[in-house]
Amino acid sequence: RLNTIITDDANMIIKRLEPGTCVVFHNTRVLHAREAFDPTEGDRHLLGTYVDWDYFKESYRLALRGIN
C-alpha cells in the first residue's frame, strides 16, 4: 500500500533544479529522492546539511518581519 501511495504521480512534485537553487525539506514530513544521474552528461554538486528546526523557524519568522 505504501509503495502505491508514494509512486502515484498525483503525490509527486518533480522539479529540475537550476545551479544555485536552494531547497529546504522537513525530513519528517517529506519523502524526497532524485532521479538517476549520468556523470558523463555534466557536473553535479550537491551539498546537504541539517539544521535545528526551531532555530530555522524562528530565523524565518524574523526574516519575514525584516529583522536580522
Side-chain angles (χ1 to χ4, degrees):
R1 172 118 170 91
L2 179 60
N3 186 58
T4 300
I5 293 168
I6 64 176
T7 58
D8 184 339
D9 288 344
N11 297 324
M12 292 185 199
I13 298 172
I14 299 173
K15 173 76 175 152
R16 180 181 176 92
L17 301 179
E18 298 302 324
T21 302
C22 176
V23 179
V24 178
F25 296 100
H26 190 314
N27 271 350
T28 62
R29 307 259 182 200
V30 175
L31 177 63
H32 55 90
R34 65 168 179 84
E35 294 181 350
F37 174 76
D38 183 348
T40 65
E41 293 183 5
D43 294 327
R44 179 174 187 259
H45 176 78
L46 179 65
L47 178 63
T49 189
Y50 292 93
V51 298
D52 177 274
W53 185 241
D54 291 327
Y55 177 81
F56 180 81
K57 288 190 305 186
E58 181 64 10
S59 297
Y60 180 73
R61 185 185 69 77
L62 292 174
L64 290 177
R65 293 178 51 201
I67 299 171
N68 291 336

